[in-house]
Amino acid sequence: MPRCAGSKGDGTPCERIVGASSRFCFAHDPQKASQRSRNASKAGRAGPLKELREVKGELRTLAADVLAGGVDRDDAAVASRILAVFLRAVEQERKVKELEDVLPRLAEIERRLDAEGGRRWG
Ligand SMILES: [Zn+2]
């Protein structure tokens, strides 16, 4: 079985099995780089941003309905408070995802700096 000719982030060879007609797996094929980044940005849009947009729409509808007299003001106040809590939850989720993305990279930078320091001064 042919294996991918690319290498992983740590420099070791990628071991994914590829089709007979290709040299690289999807993650390492240079010709699929633009498709990869498109997929990544699509994945980013599907999460918190989509939810934020939906809630914004709901709030706008709610405000219009209250002003038009179609919704009880107390009900609208409760609904908007719930939506506000929901927005805070979405924001927290976004922060956690951001940290989950950044922390491993930070650890990797620290690891490299340590290795460098060890060579220079150790
Ligand atoms: Zn690969």
Side-chain angles (χ1 to χ4, degrees):
M1 286 282 208
R3 305 260 171 171
C4 171
S7 49
K8 293 188 273 195
D10 61 2
T12 61
C14 174
E15 284 165 352
R16 286 200 194 97
I17 291 163
V18 296
S21 61
S22 43
R23 279 190 67 213
F24 297 100
C25 71
F26 179 78
H28 291 116
D29 191 338
Q31 294 183 327
K32 295 200 170 86
S34 66
Q35 196 184 332
R36 279 200 301 276
S37 67
R38 268 203 308 280
N39 287 353
S41 67
K42 213 183 283 172
R45 275 198 300 278
L49 211 59
K50 184 168 168 276
E51 289 179 312
L52 284 177
R53 240 178 256 135
E54 282 169 5
V55 171
K56 268 165 71 184
E58 284 176 56
L59 285 169
R60 202 170 290 148
T61 306
L62 188 62
D65 288 349
V66 170
L67 292 176
V71 174
D72 181 83
R73 279 165 189 264
D74 289 338
D75 288 348
V78 171
S80 67
R81 241 173 279 148
I82 292 168
L83 287 172
V85 172
F86 177 80
L87 285 179
R88 277 204 293 279
V90 171
E91 172 64 12
Q92 290 302 320
E93 191 188 337
R94 192 189 62 76
K95 279 186 190 163
V96 168
K97 276 186 187 157
E98 212 169 71
L99 278 179
E100 281 174 350
D101 183 46
V102 166
L103 286 178
R105 292 199 219 169
L106 186 63
E108 173 62 15
I109 290 169
E110 283 176 340
R111 195 188 60 75
R112 285 189 201 182
L113 282 176
D114 279 351
E116 218 170 86
R119 271 201 306 280
R120 204 175 294 164
W121 297 297

